[in-house]
Amino acid sequence: MTTAHPPLPEPCRVAAGALVTDGPLVLAAMQSAWDALDDTERATLTARLSTEFCAHWAQVACASPYWRRLMQRHPQWLLDLDAEPVALEAGAEAGDEDRFLRALRRDRQHAMARIIWQDLWGPERLDATLTALTRLAEACLASALDFGQKLLAQRHGLPRNEAGAIVPFAVLAMGKLGGCELNLSSDIDLLFVYGEGGQSDGPLPLDLGEYFQRLARWLIRALDTNTDEGFVFRVDTRLRPFGDVGPLCVSAAALEQYYQAHGRDWERFAWIKARPVAGDLSFGKQILADNLHFAYRRYLDFTALTGMREVKALMDLEQGPNSRNLKKGRGGIREIEFICQALQLIHGGRLPALRQHNTLAALAALRSAGLLTPADADFLESSYRLWRRVEHALQMVEDRQTQQLPDNDAAWQRLACALACGDPARLREAIRTRREQVHALFRDLLLEDPEPEDNPKKAELWQAAQAAAPDFDARTLLAPWQFVDSEAVWERLHRFAQSRNVAVRLSRRGRQRLDQLLPRYLDLCQGFSPPDVGLQRLLDLTEALLPHAHYLALPAENADFLATVTHLLHSPWLAQALVRHPILLDDLLSRQDRNPSLWRQELAAELAGATDTEERMDALRRFKNSETLLLAADFWTEGLDAASLGGHLSELAEVAIQQALQWAEADMLERHGSLPGGDGNSSTDPVPAFAVIAYGKLGGREMGLASDLDLVFLYDAADDGESNGRIPLSSSAWFARLGQRLIHILTLPTRAGILYEIDMRLRPSGQSGPLVSSWTAFARYQRESAWTWEHQALCRARPIAGSPELCQRFAQLRREILCRSRQTDALARDIVAMRQRIHATKKIPAGRFDLKLSPGGLTDIEFLVQFAMLSSCPTAPQLSEQHNTGVLIAALRDAGTWTAAQAKILEEALGLFRYSENRRWLALASRSVADTDPESGALHEAAEGVLRAWREILGLRAAQES
């Protein structure tokens, strides 16, 4: 006699009846699962049957016929759908291979039932779904690998190298599993790698190549084979070296060699997502580190765009313009991934934060780095999230790997049900519109069409330079560009085209880039006066790039960057520097990331590879030269004002001096030992009581691009002291030698040039005094013998390196001297007299204005500030805390020493003169400005204002007197 089952609760019937599609089928499936439960299970489920639960049950059963069949087959799974999705039990049945594989498949199906149920609770579940699917794949891989390794070990033993050590094995995930963003019915892209050759140690030993091939084949079979219990994961191994024709499993050395010799651009895109997921994870991470350089190049790598475009072109050819494929079609998932991956490959070598496996994490990193605007990043993120939800909804229908959008009304209704969208037509239109928007952004960011050629003679001229004889008459071709010396321009262009680096050594791709660039140069050089100069500089730079042909992608693929470089080439100083150091081009494009606070850390990294003194000094010079060039470029393009430039250049000099002093001290300690302390005790201190005092522009943090360094060296040690090294020296000789060693490090010409020109004339007694002054003698000199001009120099003096205690004592002495009471009239006479002597010895030609020395120039501003400092510090001692001329002008105004009008005149003049001084240096122009120069009028007007302030402040007719 058949026992009657209780009827399906009414809320479930109502929910199934409310469905637009598949209502009767869903109702039948719900009834079937309900009937298959026993009384206890039905009671447990009944307690949960709220209206919301029933509606969700009906929605999931409608969206996924695959899921509803699972519920009919395993109705008890209805009781734990909100539990943790990934909870494998297969490992407990490891004694039998068939039982293990069946259990692994059941575990996967159970987990999928929970994941689909939880995913459809709403869009906010997407991240949890991606994580759960990734964890499920990782758990299945780990369990299967563990079982397979035990099977293999029983028959063939453990894998060992020639020394008898266990050889590691790792499974690397690529694609979406590598990115921790697996979809609902995705295959998993795997790469199998082992450590090295050897042999297993079992009863039937195997060469390790064959050993690990067998392990990989078993693992694929365990996961991929479709049985009556289904499959675990489809496995794709085509991303391995040489694809399907290559060995299934490779050694770490073979993998690295392959990428170095044969790695293709599309494989670099794939490698972005590579991640160890099973086996020896430490070994897997080492593989990633060893091959990091394959994906991420040190330089800005616009060659990545070429590789991406080639892959995209093939994809478009395969899909066609009207493809329904949400992954590969226009505006789909792959275009969003391409945007991320292309920008990651271009910039990731310089910006480690971009090296993200996950697409959403990459979008966030690109936004933080300023490589995507907030609006574009937000749009791409929301689009990616929507596409992944749609993808899941498509795949959950039959647990198939599909990204095809529906082609009939019923399928659109099912998709709308999965996404809780009431109107399928509105959903369809929203997807169509967003795909168009994503594709448009993709084109704007990565596939911007080149400008149409408006003058075929540009390409014709470049073709003639490559093919014609040297005596070819190119005047007609050159005529549109109005070169001053057409014959010389043609000779230069022809010589460039026929050079060995272009005609013989350049690759096909490099030649294609030149074909893009050279016609553009003809337009760009029109901004130079004359155009001949512009073309010469563009060709000089291109020639410097040819030995590093990948750098041609920088200007060829990025029109904005080419425009920026051309603007920099208007400065002959920058043009020469870029030709000497073309590798700095990618630094220029990344210059928004310059951070002086990181200089010490970056310098330490640069020096880490140096093995001897010469290499260290070269590395320090290259670092200084590089940063100076980047600062100069920022200033030339108005990214830095003159005051900020001066501060950064001064900070850079401090970093260099501090590093050089460390080396000098280490050399002295190694050769001559250490000295007794400055108090005369016999104990020795390994850190010498030595200080470097910066004067002038370095002291004031207002260096220019042409500044030398005004330095004074101080020491404190017992007069009768002697060092304790193998070559002992007296205290004075020890510190004199230290000073000489420091100057040697700073000024010695190496392959990278010198660091700085050094001026030591501001030390006590000038050039006739000792190179290094003892603290006692220096303090006594400043208090008793120093001239007024030497106290003027103290206004900008500050300690920048050496003993903290000695530096502090100098700061206290400086404050004492500056705050000393003085007779204002006598001070004014001394300063005016010094100014007159300068003008008497530094003759300025008629009809010219010297930015520094002419009346009303920089020296007059500095003298005014120093006069005000020395006369005002006794009553306003806070002024002595400042060193910078611009800051001091504002401080003197705030202290009431000067009027706001006087301060404004001096601030504006100082800014103008400093700006002009640095601009003229970059233009390789003299500091002396001719009256015929366009900027002369503004300079003379500013100087007149300074002279008026001079007369007002000093209360003397100093301008006339000088």
Side-chain angles (χ1 to χ4, degrees):
M1 181 175 179
T2 303
T3 303
H5 298 295
L8 182 69
E10 184 62 21
C12 296
R13 295 178 176 277
V14 171
L19 295 172
V20 177
T21 186
D22 278 6
L25 293 174
V26 169
L27 180 60
M30 296 171 79
Q31 183 68 63
S32 173
W34 176 262
D35 292 344
L37 296 173
D38 62 29
D39 291 343
T40 301
E41 291 168 338
R42 272 193 293 273
T44 302
L45 183 60
T46 299
R48 302 186 60 196
L49 288 182
S50 63
T51 301
E52 181 184 31
F53 183 94
C54 293
H56 192 61
W57 185 359
Q59 178 197 8
V60 178
C62 172
S64 176
Y66 160 71
W67 183 88
R68 70 186 183 224
R69 289 195 298 273
L70 285 178
M71 293 307 100
Q72 290 176 279
R73 188 171 182 180
H74 305 284
Q76 68 278 10
W77 288 358
L78 283 165
L79 306 179
D80 65 357
L81 289 171
D82 287 315
E84 163 61 38
V86 182
L88 299 189
E89 299 177 1
E93 304 179 57
D96 179 85
E97 182 175 345
D98 289 338
R99 289 177 63 198
F100 170 78
L101 296 178
R102 284 195 301 273
L104 193 61
R105 280 153 176 75
R106 283 197 303 273
D107 285 344
R108 186 263 181 183
Q109 305 283 26
H110 195 178
M112 290 295 292
R114 291 170 174 171
I115 290 170
I116 292 172
W117 171 270
Q118 294 173 24
D119 179 68
L120 290 186
W121 277 119
E124 68 280 357
R125 290 291 307 172
L126 176 65
D127 291 335
T129 298
L130 299 176
T131 299
L133 289 165
T134 299
R135 289 183 55 223
L136 174 62
E138 291 172 350
C140 291
L141 268 168
S143 183
L145 179 60
D146 181 60
F147 193 95
Q149 286 175 319
K150 289 176 181 176
L151 283 179
L152 203 59
Q154 289 172 9
R155 187 175 182 82
H156 301 290
L158 297 175
R160 298 187 182 276
N161 62 15
E162 293 182 357
I166 295 293
V167 173
F169 173 82
V171 181
L172 302 184
M174 317 286 270
K176 285 188 166 58
L177 177 56
C180 301
E181 51 198 9
L182 207 59
N183 57 41
L184 269 171
S185 191
S186 178
D187 59 6
I188 53 177
D189 297 295
L190 300 182
L191 181 60
F192 305 111
V193 188
Y194 63 94
E196 58 184 309
Q199 193 174 57
S200 63
D201 63 1
L204 297 173
L206 291 173
D207 173 82
L208 291 194
E210 175 61 23
Y211 183 95
F212 288 115
Q213 300 290 335
R214 293 191 183 190
L215 177 59
R217 284 195 294 269
W218 188 92
L219 185 58
I220 294 170
R221 187 170 66 251
L223 298 174
D224 191 270
T225 303
N226 203 346
T227 71
D228 58 347
E229 292 281 355
F231 62 93
V232 185
F233 283 96
R234 306 175 194 88
V235 178
D236 189 337
T237 61
R238 290 175 296 173
L239 294 179
R240 68 186 187 268
F242 301 109
D244 285 337
V245 301
L248 191 60
C249 188
V250 296
S251 70
L255 181 69
E256 185 171 1
Q257 183 179 13
Y258 170 81
Y259 284 137
Q260 288 179 355
H262 306 287
R264 290 158 289 182
D265 285 336
W266 68 262
E267 289 175 300
R268 295 177 59 207
F269 281 83
W271 193 252
I272 287 177
K273 291 184 179 294
R275 183 174 64 90
V277 291
D280 188 329
L281 298 184
S282 296
F283 170 58
K285 291 177 181 176
Q286 186 59 50
I287 294 171
L288 296 188
D290 291 344
N291 292 279
L292 178 67
H293 59 280
F294 168 63
Y296 297 108
R297 310 290 164 82
R298 179 191 177 278
Y299 47 85
L300 284 172
D301 181 24
F302 282 94
T303 60
L305 287 178
T306 303
M308 181 276 298
R309 288 167 181 165
E310 291 172 353
V311 174
K312 185 67 171 69
L314 291 173
M315 193 182 302
D316 287 346
L317 187 64
E318 171 195 328
Q319 295 295 318
N322 300 313
S323 171
R324 292 183 292 109
N325 192 304
L326 190 62
K327 177 181 179 181
K328 297 181 179 180
R330 291 187 176 181
I333 293 170
R334 187 56 61 82
E335 287 193 356
I336 297 175
E337 292 175 337
F338 275 162
I339 289 171
C340 292
Q341 292 165 2
L343 293 175
Q344 285 177 279
L345 289 182
I346 291 169
H347 300 276
R350 308 303 303 273
L351 301 175
L354 300 183
R355 299 171 193 169
Q356 302 290 337
H357 306 294
N358 179 272
T359 301
L360 291 171
L363 282 170
L366 291 166
R367 173 180 179 152
S368 296
L371 297 170
L372 285 175
T373 67
D376 286 347
D378 289 346
F379 172 73
L380 290 172
E381 179 184 348
S382 64
S383 300
Y384 183 78
R385 289 182 176 279
L386 176 59
W387 290 170
R388 296 307 305 275
R389 290 181 60 227
V390 173
E391 180 185 43
H392 289 172
L394 295 171
Q395 293 180 350
M396 70 176 59
V397 176
E398 291 297 346
D399 190 22
R400 291 177 185 161
Q401 186 185 12
T402 180
Q403 288 89 14
Q404 294 290 335
L405 289 167
D407 59 357
N408 60 74
D409 290 343
W412 275 106
Q413 288 175 340
R414 188 187 311 283
L415 180 60
C417 174
L419 299 177
C421 177
D423 185 351
R426 185 162 59 86
L427 174 64
R428 187 173 186 168
E429 179 60 22
I431 290 175
R432 184 193 67 79
T433 301
R434 186 166 282 246
R435 286 184 70 185
E436 291 178 355
Q437 293 170 335
V438 170
H439 184 62
L441 182 56
F442 172 76
R443 291 194 64 84
D444 287 345
L445 291 174
L446 300 183
L447 292 183
E448 185 175 2
D449 292 326
E451 295 181 6
E453 184 57 73
D454 58 352
N455 186 345
K457 286 192 175 181
K458 291 186 226 173
E460 188 180 347
L461 177 62
W462 171 234
Q463 291 164 4
Q466 297 175 83
D471 57 356
F472 176 77
D473 187 354
R475 286 176 296 180
T476 301
L477 287 176
L478 287 168
W481 293 282
Q482 299 179 337
F483 292 109
V484 173
D485 188 344
S486 295
E487 185 176 335
V489 167
W490 168 252
E491 192 277 331
R492 178 70 181 92
L493 189 61
H494 186 270
R495 189 171 71 251
F496 171 79
Q498 299 299 319
S499 67
R500 177 172 292 274
N501 280 339
V502 172
V504 178
R505 296 175 179 167
L506 197 61
S507 67
R508 179 183 61 83
R509 183 171 291 178
R511 187 175 296 278
Q512 289 172 343
R513 290 182 179 129
L514 271 190
D515 291 343
Q516 289 177 267
L517 285 170
L518 266 296
R520 296 181 197 171
Y521 286 177
L522 294 169
D523 285 338
L524 292 169
C525 69
Q526 297 306 299
F528 292 78
S529 181
D532 311 47
V533 171
L535 185 61
Q536 174 72 40
R537 291 178 187 170
L538 285 162
L539 291 177
D540 287 347
L541 179 59
T542 307
E543 275 187 328
L545 291 173
L546 290 176
H548 319 277
H550 49 263
Y551 280 107
L552 289 175
L554 286 166
E557 298 285 0
N558 189 316
D560 289 340
F561 179 67
L562 180 56
T564 298
V565 170
T566 304
H567 180 52
L568 295 176
L569 294 181
H570 279 75
S571 158
W573 186 91
L574 286 169
Q576 292 173 7
L578 286 173
V579 168
R580 287 195 302 269
H581 309 289
I583 196 172
L584 294 175
L585 278 173
D586 53 323
D587 292 302
L588 290 172
L589 193 58
S590 301
R591 66 184 183 274
Q592 68 270 19
D593 301 305
R594 306 319 303 161
N595 186 348
S597 68
L598 298 178
W599 274 341
R600 287 169 177 80
Q601 178 181 335
E602 293 170 354
L603 175 59
E606 292 282 342
L607 295 173
T611 58
D612 57 33
T613 300
E614 184 178 356
E615 284 190 16
R616 288 200 306 269
M617 289 202 292
D618 263 351
L620 180 57
R621 283 154 173 74
R622 286 194 301 269
F623 180 81
K624 177 259 183 179
N625 292 340
S626 169
E627 296 302 327
T628 300
L629 173 61
L630 297 175
L631 291 172
D634 270 351
F635 174 73
W636 184 258
T637 56
E638 308 294 343
L640 277 180
D641 58 25
S644 299
L645 174 67
H648 290 333
L649 289 171
S650 301
E651 174 71 12
L652 182 60
E654 288 183 48
V655 170
I657 290 170
Q658 288 164 7
Q659 181 62 67
L661 179 58
Q662 288 182 28
W663 293 340
E665 289 177 342
D667 289 347
M668 291 298 297
L669 290 170
E670 190 276 331
R671 178 182 289 265
H672 302 290
S674 56
L675 289 161
D679 58 0
N681 63 45
S682 59
S683 65
T684 57
D685 184 350
V687 180
F690 181 86
V692 179
I693 312 301
Y695 279 69
K697 288 182 178 179
L698 174 56
R701 295 188 178 91
E702 51 198 69
M703 283 181 67
L705 290 164
S707 296
D708 58 9
L709 306 184
D710 294 302
L711 302 178
V712 167
F713 299 153
L714 304 179
Y715 75 92
D716 184 30
D719 292 338
D720 58 351
E722 185 175 83
S723 64
N724 61 3
R726 53 190 172 87
I727 306 176
L729 294 173
S730 66
S731 296
S732 58
W734 197 99
F735 283 109
R737 192 74 59 85
L738 174 61
Q740 291 167 352
R741 182 62 183 159
L742 177 56
I743 292 173
H744 174 80
I745 293 172
L746 294 173
T747 61
L748 177 71
T750 73
R751 290 169 297 184
I754 67 169
L755 267 177
Y756 293 99
E757 297 282 356
I758 306 298
D759 189 339
M760 301 291 295
R761 290 175 296 174
L762 290 177
R763 66 187 187 268
S765 302
Q767 290 178 315
S768 63
L771 181 67
V772 181
S773 301
S774 73
W775 170 251
T776 302
F778 179 82
R780 183 170 59 247
Y781 180 86
Q782 290 293 335
R783 289 176 176 133
E784 300 174 6
S785 307
W787 296 83
T788 299
W789 68 264
E790 291 175 296
H791 287 175
Q792 286 178 250
L794 278 179
C795 291
R796 291 194 291 183
R798 63 187 177 92
I800 59 169
S803 161
E805 191 274 336
L806 191 52
C807 289
Q808 180 61 33
R809 277 197 275 166
F810 172 84
Q812 292 169 350
L813 175 66
R814 173 181 175 273
R815 189 179 307 112
E816 171 195 326
I817 298 297
L818 293 184
C819 293
R820 176 185 293 177
S821 179
R822 291 175 173 82
Q823 287 189 341
T824 304
D825 289 345
L827 177 62
R829 285 193 296 272
D830 285 348
I831 287 178
V832 170
M834 174 57 67
R835 183 172 180 267
Q836 290 172 334
R837 282 196 296 274
I838 291 173
H839 288 309
T841 56
K842 305 286 186 179
K843 295 297 184 182
I844 299 165
R848 304 194 73 86
F849 179 82
D850 189 294
L851 291 166
K852 180 177 180 180
L853 298 175
S854 284
L858 284 167
T859 298
D860 279 1
I861 296 174
E862 292 166 359
F863 275 24
L864 279 175
V865 170
Q866 292 158 10
F867 167 76
M869 280 278 287
L870 294 174
S871 60
S872 300
C873 276
T875 56
Q878 72 275 12
L879 294 172
S880 66
E881 301 301 320
Q882 305 300 334
H883 305 81
N884 178 272
T885 302
V887 173
L888 279 166
I889 291 173
L892 288 162
R893 176 200 61 209
D894 295 342
T897 302
W898 288 346
T899 67
Q902 290 169 334
K904 184 172 185 293
I905 288 170
L906 295 174
E907 283 176 336
E908 291 178 352
L910 179 69
L912 176 62
F913 295 158
R914 290 272 190 251
Y915 175 82
S916 179
E917 184 179 47
N918 285 300
R919 295 289 291 194
R920 294 183 69 81
W921 175 260
L922 291 176
L924 298 184
S926 166
R927 190 181 68 196
S928 178
V929 184
D931 288 348
T932 56
D933 192 293
E935 69 173 333
S936 175
L939 296 175
H940 280 293
E941 183 179 350
E944 286 298 325
V946 173
L947 291 173
R948 287 195 302 273
W950 178 277
R951 289 189 288 268
E952 294 169 5
I953 292 168
L954 283 172
L956 298 168
R957 291 187 297 278
Q960 289 85 347
E961 292 172 16
S962 61

